[in-house]
Amino acid sequence: MNAILLMLMGLGAMALGYFVYSKFICEKIFKVDPNFRTPAHEMQDGVDYVPTNKYILWGHHFTSVAGAAPIIGPAIAVIWGWVPAFLWVVFGTIFFAGVHDAGAIWASSRNKAKSIGALTGDIVGNRARSIFMIVIFLVLLMVNAVFAVVIANQLISFPSATVPVWGAIIVALIIGQLIYRKLIGLLMVTIIGVVALYAMIYAGPMFPLALPESVMGLSDRQGWIILLFVYAAIASLLPVWALLQPRDYINGIQLFIGLGLLYAAVIFASPDIVAPAFNTDVPEGTPSLIPLLFVTIACGAISGFHGLVASGTTSKQLDKEPDVRFVGYFGAIGEGSLALAAIIAATAGFATLADWQAIYHSFGQGGVGAFIRGGANILQDGIGLDAVLAQTLLTVMVVLFAGTTMDTGLRLQRYIFQEWGSIYNVGWMQKAAPATLLAVGSCLLLAFGAGGDGSGGMMIWPLFGTTNQLLAGLTLLVITVMLVKLGRPMWYTLAPLIFLLTMTTLGLLIQLKSFYDKGDWFLFTLDIIILVAAILVILESGSTLNKQIKANKTAKNTA
């Protein structure tokens, strides 16, 4: 099959989802109100609560939720064949991710921009909230610790990406001042930012920069990880308009240009997909397609991390409630298009089936490397881009998205510690600086305490997919309960919720057996904790949902 046909089918279906399905969900189910006073206006403080242009806010939301995961997951999952990965990305984006992301922003905005964890306490109950926040903390811990390793590895492998990756921070700081102080219009700011960023991408191969292999006893990977967390800590304390918003916005524009170049190269190169549609000869040790496909591809189909961003930072910047559709649902469409590009690069970016099989020789292979290698081949064949420049462009895309996710993730982790401080009346923990130090400290403790070389986060990464999808299911559960309380139709969130919780629970059970067989007692214990937490929250939420449905029927009968 030709990759052009796959691209057109995928993008066409997602466009239809946005123009038709998202309009129905936002107008008929969520009933967004243009006159509703959002928390960004009601609680404006110039730091976290800032009314924001919907295009800039879309850039923040999209790049924060994208990260490297919509590349890694699909580029691993094609080992089962490109058809299952393609179908889950397309239908997951339209009926799961878009509804989940827009719903989380809407639900949070309607409740003073509270996080999904805090909302659980208000809507379901305090016991569910306590358990939910532990799951949230684990997801953030995994994301922050692992993405730091991903970025460090890419900067070591591709030193040509160092200049554009760190230079993008300077560009974002300048853009933040230009936008906030309204010195020039948004269009001109966008042009300046994009030109500056791509000039640095072009210059990157000319000025490759790398850390020394050892400095003060630290390896280059350890050095990069520490620098990344120092940066992320500073970024998480700055006002959102100063760095977070402009960095995310310009990265969002950069991604769409990068995706445009990649999709244009697909049209001109017209590559055939060499990977099998359904792989009946998977390598030994590859787990079953069902349910593992639905937890291997999280970002790009549906991801619980999106709910954390939607209710943690995005809802605090929502200018008008109807912006929920563009920011949340279209943000999910953007990520779905990135996941689709990853599938194409990882299946059509190789000359022969044998070349593809050489990469996918065991489960877990592929990922970022397959995306960069396959995508660079398509860019080179399609639009004649130099091989090193093509690799630099794609590496910068991966690293910048992982970096913006770290920025937001660490800020969200700081919010978690502050919420715990508020819940348990620990005054000093409610302050931004101490909470940030706790967030950074917990990530570094995992990275260096468990891994020694800074890659300790990788140790619990096998549980990320299931934990993340569990979080997405629980977020849909909170939205569903809220809809029932408002007397709105619930099946548009309840159906994906049931499917997701079923697949995630099966995934946790399969992983439990795998950890037991390997004698990995740490992950075995952590898996049990997550599984028990899931069951408790599901039971608590199910009880609340059932009571509310009965209350609605009683009220209807007595009316």
Side-chain angles (χ1 to χ4, degrees):
M1 180 176 177
N2 193 278
I4 295 177
L5 183 58
L6 192 67
M7 178 188 77
L8 293 177
M9 288 192 302
L11 295 180
M14 290 183 203
L16 192 64
Y18 177 71
F19 288 112
V20 179
Y21 192 63
S22 75
K23 184 176 182 181
F24 167 75
I25 290 294
C26 289
E27 292 183 1
K28 304 299 182 182
I29 307 302
F30 298 149
K31 296 185 179 180
V32 294
D33 181 2
N35 297 316
F36 175 73
R37 184 171 169 82
T38 65
H41 290 281
E42 186 180 351
M43 305 165 70
Q44 185 172 357
D45 62 4
V47 179
D48 294 318
Y49 295 84
V50 180
T52 303
N53 177 287
K54 71 176 183 179
Y55 298 104
I56 297 175
L57 185 56
W58 168 84
H60 156 70
H61 180 78
F62 168 47
T63 55
S64 294
V65 301
I71 295 171
I72 296 172
I76 289 175
V78 292
I79 198 167
W80 288 299
W82 62 263
V83 169
F86 172 77
L87 292 176
W88 175 228
V89 163
V90 172
F91 288 104
T93 295
I94 296 170
F95 297 107
F96 288 67
V99 177
H100 171 275
D101 289 21
I105 299 173
W106 167 76
S108 176
S109 178
R110 283 281 168 167
N111 290 274
K112 298 187 180 298
K114 290 182 178 179
S115 72
I116 203 68
L119 269 179
T120 306
D122 293 346
I123 294 174
V124 180
N126 289 332
R127 284 180 300 185
R129 177 189 64 185
S130 299
I131 299 169
F132 203 167
M133 288 184 71
I134 293 172
V135 176
I136 291 171
F137 178 77
L138 285 173
V139 169
L140 290 172
L141 190 65
M142 292 177 194
V143 167
N144 292 331
V146 172
F147 277 19
V149 178
V150 170
I151 296 171
N153 288 343
Q154 296 309 309
L155 291 176
I156 293 169
S157 300
F158 302 97
S160 60
T162 303
V163 167
V165 165
W166 290 97
I169 298 171
I170 298 172
V171 172
L173 287 168
I174 295 171
I175 287 175
Q177 293 295 323
L178 293 175
I179 293 174
Y180 184 72
R181 302 187 187 286
K182 299 179 180 179
L183 299 177
I184 55 178
L186 182 60
L187 177 61
M188 186 56 65
V189 168
T190 304
I191 293 171
I192 292 171
V194 169
V195 169
L197 185 57
Y198 275 90
M200 287 186 290
I201 291 174
Y202 181 78
M206 303 176 192
F207 304 99
L209 294 178
L211 290 180
E213 291 186 7
S214 180
V215 177
M216 298 176 62
L218 296 174
S219 68
D220 49 356
R221 176 191 287 165
Q222 292 171 321
W224 279 127
I225 290 171
I226 290 173
L227 285 173
L228 286 165
F229 275 112
V230 169
Y231 157 73
I234 295 170
S236 72
L237 290 170
L238 290 174
V240 290
W241 62 264
L243 180 58
L244 189 69
Q245 285 180 356
R247 176 169 158 81
D248 291 352
Y249 173 68
I250 206 65
N251 283 348
I253 299 297
Q254 179 264 148
L255 170 72
F256 263 81
I257 292 174
L259 279 178
L261 289 173
L262 186 56
Y263 282 133
V266 169
I267 294 173
F268 288 114
S270 188
D272 289 324
I273 298 173
V274 299
F278 295 93
N279 193 1
T280 57
D281 188 26
V282 295
E284 186 178 351
T286 301
S288 61
L289 169 67
I290 297 175
L292 268 299
L293 170 70
F294 304 103
V295 296
T296 300
I297 300 180
C299 297
I302 182 172
S303 165
F305 181 72
H306 294 201
L308 302 185
V309 176
S311 65
T313 56
T314 305
S315 62
K316 294 177 175 62
Q317 303 168 62
L318 191 70
D319 184 29
K320 299 175 182 176
E321 195 172 59
D323 292 350
V324 160
R325 181 184 172 210
F326 183 80
V327 175
Y329 198 100
F330 191 63
I333 294 290
E335 189 175 61
S337 67
L338 176 57
L340 176 62
I343 291 172
I344 292 173
T347 57
F350 300 91
T352 65
L353 175 60
D355 291 336
W356 182 83
Q357 289 173 331
I359 297 293
Y360 290 90
H361 55 81
S362 64
F363 182 71
Q365 299 301 310
V368 171
F371 170 74
I372 292 175
R373 180 178 169 183
N377 289 338
I378 293 173
L379 286 168
Q380 190 175 12
D381 295 341
I383 58 177
L385 210 59
D386 175 75
V388 176
L389 184 58
Q391 288 184 345
T392 301
L393 172 66
L394 296 176
T395 301
V396 169
M397 281 174 59
V398 172
V399 171
L400 287 183
F401 279 108
T404 52
T405 300
M406 270 191 70
D407 290 359
T408 303
L410 200 65
R411 187 180 287 259
L412 293 172
Q413 207 167 353
R414 184 247 289 180
Y415 291 162
I416 291 292
F417 278 109
Q418 287 181 292
E419 284 187 22
W420 275 335
S422 177
I423 292 169
Y424 299 109
N425 294 317
V426 182
W428 62 270
M429 196 186 290
Q430 299 176 40
K431 297 178 180 178
T436 300
L437 289 176
L438 287 173
V440 171
S442 60
C443 291
L444 290 177
L445 183 63
L446 173 63
F448 289 92
D453 64 348
S455 61
M458 292 296 184
M459 187 167 70
I460 62 173
W461 186 249
L463 278 170
F464 171 75
T466 46
T467 309
N468 189 40
Q469 297 303 70
L470 169 64
L471 183 57
L474 298 179
T475 301
L476 284 170
L477 195 52
V478 171
I479 298 170
T480 302
V481 173
M482 187 171 165
L483 288 173
V484 171
K485 287 187 174 183
L486 291 170
R488 311 262 179 88
M490 65 177 179
W491 286 105
Y492 302 97
T493 54
L494 186 60
L497 155 66
I498 293 171
F499 177 84
L500 204 59
L501 288 183
T502 301
M503 293 300 160
T504 303
T505 303
L506 287 174
L508 282 167
L509 291 171
I510 290 172
Q511 286 183 320
L512 195 64
K513 183 180 183 303
S514 174
F515 298 145
Y516 178 82
D517 291 341
K518 294 176 183 176
D520 193 333
W521 304 117
F522 175 75
L523 288 180
F524 179 82
T525 304
L526 196 56
D527 194 313
I528 290 177
I529 292 171
I530 295 169
L531 187 58
V532 170
I535 293 170
L536 290 175
V537 174
I538 290 169
L539 291 174
E540 192 83 16
S541 301
S543 174
T544 303
L545 188 60
N546 187 46
K547 288 178 182 176
Q548 189 61 50
I549 291 173
K550 288 181 178 178
N552 287 358
K553 287 182 178 178
T554 302
K556 186 177 180 180
N557 290 335
T558 56

PDB file of all heavy atoms in Angstrom, residues 2 30 44 58 65 75-76 141 151-152 161 170 201 245 258 272 316 338 350 352 380 437 536 551:
ATOM      1  N   ASN A   2       0.436   2.261  -0.734  1.00  0.00           N
ATOM      2  CA  ASN A   2       1.192   3.505  -0.793  1.00  0.00           C
ATOM      3  C   ASN A   2       0.895   4.376   0.421  1.00  0.00           C
ATOM      4  O   ASN A   2      -0.253   4.479   0.867  1.00  0.00           O
ATOM      5  CB  ASN A   2       0.854   4.267  -2.072  1.00  0.00           C
ATOM      6  CG  ASN A   2       1.831   5.404  -2.333  1.00  0.00           C
ATOM      7  OD1 ASN A   2       1.699   6.479  -1.774  1.00  0.00           O
ATOM      8  ND2 ASN A   2       2.806   5.147  -3.186  1.00  0.00           N
ATOM      9  N   PHE A  30     -21.374  19.337  26.190  1.00  0.00           N
ATOM     10  CA  PHE A  30     -20.754  20.235  27.180  1.00  0.00           C
ATOM     11  C   PHE A  30     -21.490  21.573  27.268  1.00  0.00           C
ATOM     12  O   PHE A  30     -21.438  22.248  28.293  1.00  0.00           O
ATOM     13  CB  PHE A  30     -19.282  20.481  26.829  1.00  0.00           C
ATOM     14  CG  PHE A  30     -18.441  19.236  26.833  1.00  0.00           C
ATOM     15  CD1 PHE A  30     -17.360  19.117  25.984  1.00  0.00           C
ATOM     16  CD2 PHE A  30     -18.728  18.176  27.687  1.00  0.00           C
ATOM     17  CE1 PHE A  30     -16.571  17.971  25.980  1.00  0.00           C
ATOM     18  CE2 PHE A  30     -17.950  17.035  27.696  1.00  0.00           C
ATOM     19  CZ  PHE A  30     -16.870  16.922  26.835  1.00  0.00           C
ATOM     20  N   GLN A  44      -7.561  36.008  37.839  1.00  0.00           N
ATOM     21  CA  GLN A  44      -6.348  36.464  37.149  1.00  0.00           C
ATOM     22  C   GLN A  44      -5.289  36.965  38.130  1.00  0.00           C
ATOM     23  O   GLN A  44      -5.564  37.800  38.993  1.00  0.00           O
ATOM     24  CB  GLN A  44      -6.711  37.578  36.163  1.00  0.00           C
ATOM     25  CG  GLN A  44      -5.552  38.043  35.298  1.00  0.00           C
ATOM     26  CD  GLN A  44      -5.996  39.009  34.203  1.00  0.00           C
ATOM     27  OE1 GLN A  44      -7.194  39.285  34.077  1.00  0.00           O
ATOM     28  NE2 GLN A  44      -5.064  39.508  33.428  1.00  0.00           N
ATOM     29  N   TRP A  58      -3.669  27.104  22.396  1.00  0.00           N
ATOM     30  CA  TRP A  58      -3.604  25.829  21.670  1.00  0.00           C
ATOM     31  C   TRP A  58      -2.159  25.356  21.559  1.00  0.00           C
ATOM     32  O   TRP A  58      -1.860  24.176  21.760  1.00  0.00           O
ATOM     33  CB  TRP A  58      -4.198  25.993  20.273  1.00  0.00           C
ATOM     34  CG  TRP A  58      -3.901  24.815  19.392  1.00  0.00           C
ATOM     35  CD1 TRP A  58      -4.595  23.646  19.325  1.00  0.00           C
ATOM     36  CD2 TRP A  58      -2.804  24.682  18.481  1.00  0.00           C
ATOM     37  NE1 TRP A  58      -3.995  22.787  18.432  1.00  0.00           N
ATOM     38  CE2 TRP A  58      -2.892  23.399  17.897  1.00  0.00           C
ATOM     39  CE3 TRP A  58      -1.744  25.520  18.106  1.00  0.00           C
ATOM     40  CZ2 TRP A  58      -1.974  22.944  16.956  1.00  0.00           C
ATOM     41  CZ3 TRP A  58      -0.831  25.066  17.164  1.00  0.00           C
ATOM     42  CH2 TRP A  58      -0.958  23.789  16.604  1.00  0.00           C
ATOM     43  N   VAL A  65       1.108  18.390  25.736  1.00  0.00           N
ATOM     44  CA  VAL A  65       0.611  17.019  25.785  1.00  0.00           C
ATOM     45  C   VAL A  65       1.329  16.118  24.780  1.00  0.00           C
ATOM     46  O   VAL A  65       1.379  14.899  24.951  1.00  0.00           O
ATOM     47  CB  VAL A  65      -0.911  16.952  25.527  1.00  0.00           C
ATOM     48  CG1 VAL A  65      -1.667  17.772  26.557  1.00  0.00           C
ATOM     49  CG2 VAL A  65      -1.281  17.406  24.121  1.00  0.00           C
ATOM     50  N   ALA A  75       5.436   4.223  16.938  1.00  0.00           N
ATOM     51  CA  ALA A  75       6.606   3.667  16.260  1.00  0.00           C
ATOM     52  C   ALA A  75       7.067   2.353  16.884  1.00  0.00           C
ATOM     53  O   ALA A  75       7.878   1.642  16.302  1.00  0.00           O
ATOM     54  CB  ALA A  75       7.754   4.677  16.263  1.00  0.00           C
ATOM     55  N   ILE A  76       6.565   2.021  18.066  1.00  0.00           N
ATOM     56  CA  ILE A  76       6.791   0.699  18.664  1.00  0.00           C
ATOM     57  C   ILE A  76       5.649  -0.240  18.282  1.00  0.00           C
ATOM     58  O   ILE A  76       5.868  -1.403  17.929  1.00  0.00           O
ATOM     59  CB  ILE A  76       6.902   0.795  20.195  1.00  0.00           C
ATOM     60  CG1 ILE A  76       8.223   1.474  20.590  1.00  0.00           C
ATOM     61  CG2 ILE A  76       6.819  -0.586  20.850  1.00  0.00           C
ATOM     62  CD1 ILE A  76       8.370   1.719  22.090  1.00  0.00           C
ATOM     63  N   LEU A 141       5.788  11.663  37.667  1.00  0.00           N
ATOM     64  CA  LEU A 141       7.142  11.231  38.016  1.00  0.00           C
ATOM     65  C   LEU A 141       7.768  10.480  36.848  1.00  0.00           C
ATOM     66  O   LEU A 141       8.927  10.711  36.475  1.00  0.00           O
ATOM     67  CB  LEU A 141       7.096  10.344  39.263  1.00  0.00           C
ATOM     68  CG  LEU A 141       8.432   9.987  39.924  1.00  0.00           C
ATOM     69  CD1 LEU A 141       9.104  11.227  40.471  1.00  0.00           C
ATOM     70  CD2 LEU A 141       8.212   8.966  41.038  1.00  0.00           C
ATOM     71  N   ILE A 151      15.597  13.188  26.140  1.00  0.00           N
ATOM     72  CA  ILE A 151      16.236  14.403  25.609  1.00  0.00           C
ATOM     73  C   ILE A 151      17.748  14.280  25.682  1.00  0.00           C
ATOM     74  O   ILE A 151      18.463  14.589  24.715  1.00  0.00           O
ATOM     75  CB  ILE A 151      15.766  15.646  26.396  1.00  0.00           C
ATOM     76  CG1 ILE A 151      14.273  15.873  26.204  1.00  0.00           C
ATOM     77  CG2 ILE A 151      16.532  16.885  25.941  1.00  0.00           C
ATOM     78  CD1 ILE A 151      13.684  16.935  27.115  1.00  0.00           C
ATOM     79  N   ALA A 152      18.257  13.831  26.833  1.00  0.00           N
ATOM     80  CA  ALA A 152      19.707  13.691  27.005  1.00  0.00           C
ATOM     81  C   ALA A 152      20.285  12.740  25.964  1.00  0.00           C
ATOM     82  O   ALA A 152      21.338  13.024  25.359  1.00  0.00           O
ATOM     83  CB  ALA A 152      20.022  13.193  28.418  1.00  0.00           C
ATOM     84  N   ALA A 161      21.768  19.058  17.178  1.00  0.00           N
ATOM     85  CA  ALA A 161      20.486  19.577  17.677  1.00  0.00           C
ATOM     86  C   ALA A 161      20.660  20.481  18.890  1.00  0.00           C
ATOM     87  O   ALA A 161      19.705  21.149  19.313  1.00  0.00           O
ATOM     88  CB  ALA A 161      19.561  18.417  18.041  1.00  0.00           C
ATOM     89  N   ILE A 170      15.760  30.957  24.283  1.00  0.00           N
ATOM     90  CA  ILE A 170      16.012  32.397  24.157  1.00  0.00           C
ATOM     91  C   ILE A 170      14.964  33.036  23.248  1.00  0.00           C
ATOM     92  O   ILE A 170      14.421  34.113  23.545  1.00  0.00           O
ATOM     93  CB  ILE A 170      17.432  32.640  23.598  1.00  0.00           C
ATOM     94  CG1 ILE A 170      18.472  32.065  24.565  1.00  0.00           C
ATOM     95  CG2 ILE A 170      17.682  34.128  23.370  1.00  0.00           C
ATOM     96  CD1 ILE A 170      19.892  32.078  24.025  1.00  0.00           C
ATOM     97  N   ILE A 201      18.102  25.677  13.364  1.00  0.00           N
ATOM     98  CA  ILE A 201      18.108  24.279  12.906  1.00  0.00           C
ATOM     99  C   ILE A 201      19.076  24.116  11.738  1.00  0.00           C
ATOM    100  O   ILE A 201      19.837  23.140  11.662  1.00  0.00           O
ATOM    101  CB  ILE A 201      16.688  23.839  12.495  1.00  0.00           C
ATOM    102  CG1 ILE A 201      15.788  23.743  13.738  1.00  0.00           C
ATOM    103  CG2 ILE A 201      16.721  22.504  11.756  1.00  0.00           C
ATOM    104  CD1 ILE A 201      14.332  23.452  13.427  1.00  0.00           C
ATOM    105  N   GLN A 245       4.058  29.799  27.673  1.00  0.00           N
ATOM    106  CA  GLN A 245       3.165  30.056  26.543  1.00  0.00           C
ATOM    107  C   GLN A 245       3.922  30.276  25.228  1.00  0.00           C
ATOM    108  O   GLN A 245       3.642  29.602  24.236  1.00  0.00           O
ATOM    109  CB  GLN A 245       2.274  31.260  26.826  1.00  0.00           C
ATOM    110  CG  GLN A 245       1.142  31.000  27.795  1.00  0.00           C
ATOM    111  CD  GLN A 245       0.309  32.255  28.013  1.00  0.00           C
ATOM    112  OE1 GLN A 245       0.634  33.332  27.494  1.00  0.00           O
ATOM    113  NE2 GLN A 245      -0.753  32.139  28.776  1.00  0.00           N
ATOM    114  N   GLY A 258       7.052  21.292  10.402  1.00  0.00           N
ATOM    115  CA  GLY A 258       7.793  20.041  10.258  1.00  0.00           C
ATOM    116  C   GLY A 258       6.921  18.919   9.717  1.00  0.00           C
ATOM    117  O   GLY A 258       7.333  18.159   8.829  1.00  0.00           O
ATOM    118  N   ASP A 272       6.168   3.276  -0.620  1.00  0.00           N
ATOM    119  CA  ASP A 272       5.281   2.173  -0.271  1.00  0.00           C
ATOM    120  C   ASP A 272       5.540   1.743   1.166  1.00  0.00           C
ATOM    121  O   ASP A 272       6.661   1.835   1.668  1.00  0.00           O
ATOM    122  CB  ASP A 272       5.509   0.981  -1.209  1.00  0.00           C
ATOM    123  CG  ASP A 272       4.996   1.249  -2.615  1.00  0.00           C
ATOM    124  OD1 ASP A 272       3.957   1.919  -2.735  1.00  0.00           O
ATOM    125  OD2 ASP A 272       5.650   0.793  -3.576  1.00  0.00           O
ATOM    126  N   LYS A 316      -6.514  27.253  33.343  1.00  0.00           N
ATOM    127  CA  LYS A 316      -6.202  28.510  34.038  1.00  0.00           C
ATOM    128  C   LYS A 316      -5.930  29.650  33.064  1.00  0.00           C
ATOM    129  O   LYS A 316      -5.790  30.798  33.478  1.00  0.00           O
ATOM    130  CB  LYS A 316      -4.988  28.314  34.960  1.00  0.00           C
ATOM    131  CG  LYS A 316      -5.225  27.369  36.120  1.00  0.00           C
ATOM    132  CD  LYS A 316      -3.962  27.177  36.948  1.00  0.00           C
ATOM    133  CE  LYS A 316      -4.209  26.322  38.190  1.00  0.00           C
ATOM    134  NZ  LYS A 316      -4.650  24.954  37.889  1.00  0.00           N
ATOM    135  N   LEU A 338       0.507  13.824  14.411  1.00  0.00           N
ATOM    136  CA  LEU A 338       1.905  13.493  14.702  1.00  0.00           C
ATOM    137  C   LEU A 338       2.079  11.979  14.827  1.00  0.00           C
ATOM    138  O   LEU A 338       3.051  11.404  14.309  1.00  0.00           O
ATOM    139  CB  LEU A 338       2.347  14.186  15.992  1.00  0.00           C
ATOM    140  CG  LEU A 338       3.765  13.881  16.497  1.00  0.00           C
ATOM    141  CD1 LEU A 338       4.811  14.227  15.442  1.00  0.00           C
ATOM    142  CD2 LEU A 338       4.049  14.640  17.791  1.00  0.00           C
ATOM    143  N   PHE A 350      11.621   2.822   5.121  1.00  0.00           N
ATOM    144  CA  PHE A 350      12.679   1.839   4.918  1.00  0.00           C
ATOM    145  C   PHE A 350      12.551   1.245   3.519  1.00  0.00           C
ATOM    146  O   PHE A 350      11.445   1.142   2.966  1.00  0.00           O
ATOM    147  CB  PHE A 350      12.600   0.736   5.976  1.00  0.00           C
ATOM    148  CG  PHE A 350      12.754   1.262   7.383  1.00  0.00           C
ATOM    149  CD1 PHE A 350      11.645   1.638   8.120  1.00  0.00           C
ATOM    150  CD2 PHE A 350      14.009   1.414   7.940  1.00  0.00           C
ATOM    151  CE1 PHE A 350      11.772   2.147   9.396  1.00  0.00           C
ATOM    152  CE2 PHE A 350      14.153   1.921   9.219  1.00  0.00           C
ATOM    153  CZ  PHE A 350      13.040   2.287   9.953  1.00  0.00           C
ATOM    154  N   THR A 352      13.221  -1.857   2.288  1.00  0.00           N
ATOM    155  CA  THR A 352      12.666  -3.205   2.122  1.00  0.00           C
ATOM    156  C   THR A 352      12.106  -3.714   3.438  1.00  0.00           C
ATOM    157  O   THR A 352      12.384  -3.161   4.509  1.00  0.00           O
ATOM    158  CB  THR A 352      13.760  -4.183   1.655  1.00  0.00           C
ATOM    159  OG1 THR A 352      14.754  -4.314   2.686  1.00  0.00           O
ATOM    160  CG2 THR A 352      14.422  -3.702   0.369  1.00  0.00           C
ATOM    161  N   GLN A 380      14.591  13.098   2.603  1.00  0.00           N
ATOM    162  CA  GLN A 380      15.682  13.120   1.635  1.00  0.00           C
ATOM    163  C   GLN A 380      15.192  12.723   0.241  1.00  0.00           C
ATOM    164  O   GLN A 380      15.518  13.383  -0.754  1.00  0.00           O
ATOM    165  CB  GLN A 380      16.792  12.176   2.092  1.00  0.00           C
ATOM    166  CG  GLN A 380      18.086  12.297   1.294  1.00  0.00           C
ATOM    167  CD  GLN A 380      19.194  11.435   1.867  1.00  0.00           C
ATOM    168  OE1 GLN A 380      18.966  10.585   2.722  1.00  0.00           O
ATOM    169  NE2 GLN A 380      20.418  11.653   1.388  1.00  0.00           N
ATOM    170  N   LEU A 437      11.080  22.416  44.518  1.00  0.00           N
ATOM    171  CA  LEU A 437      12.243  21.641  44.963  1.00  0.00           C
ATOM    172  C   LEU A 437      11.859  20.196  45.260  1.00  0.00           C
ATOM    173  O   LEU A 437      12.616  19.268  44.943  1.00  0.00           O
ATOM    174  CB  LEU A 437      12.858  22.290  46.210  1.00  0.00           C
ATOM    175  CG  LEU A 437      13.589  23.623  45.987  1.00  0.00           C
ATOM    176  CD1 LEU A 437      14.062  24.202  47.312  1.00  0.00           C
ATOM    177  CD2 LEU A 437      14.783  23.423  45.047  1.00  0.00           C
ATOM    178  N   LEU A 536     -10.315   0.536  43.534  1.00  0.00           N
ATOM    179  CA  LEU A 536     -10.947   1.337  44.584  1.00  0.00           C
ATOM    180  C   LEU A 536     -11.615   2.586  44.013  1.00  0.00           C
ATOM    181  O   LEU A 536     -12.752   2.921  44.381  1.00  0.00           O
ATOM    182  CB  LEU A 536      -9.922   1.720  45.652  1.00  0.00           C
ATOM    183  CG  LEU A 536      -9.403   0.576  46.539  1.00  0.00           C
ATOM    184  CD1 LEU A 536      -8.305   1.075  47.463  1.00  0.00           C
ATOM    185  CD2 LEU A 536     -10.545  -0.035  47.345  1.00  0.00           C
ATOM    186  N   ALA A 551     -30.915   9.350  41.705  1.00  0.00           N
ATOM    187  CA  ALA A 551     -31.421  10.654  42.162  1.00  0.00           C
ATOM    188  C   ALA A 551     -32.088  11.409  41.019  1.00  0.00           C
ATOM    189  O   ALA A 551     -33.132  12.050  41.201  1.00  0.00           O
ATOM    190  CB  ALA A 551     -30.278  11.477  42.753  1.00  0.00           C
TER     191      ALA A 551
END
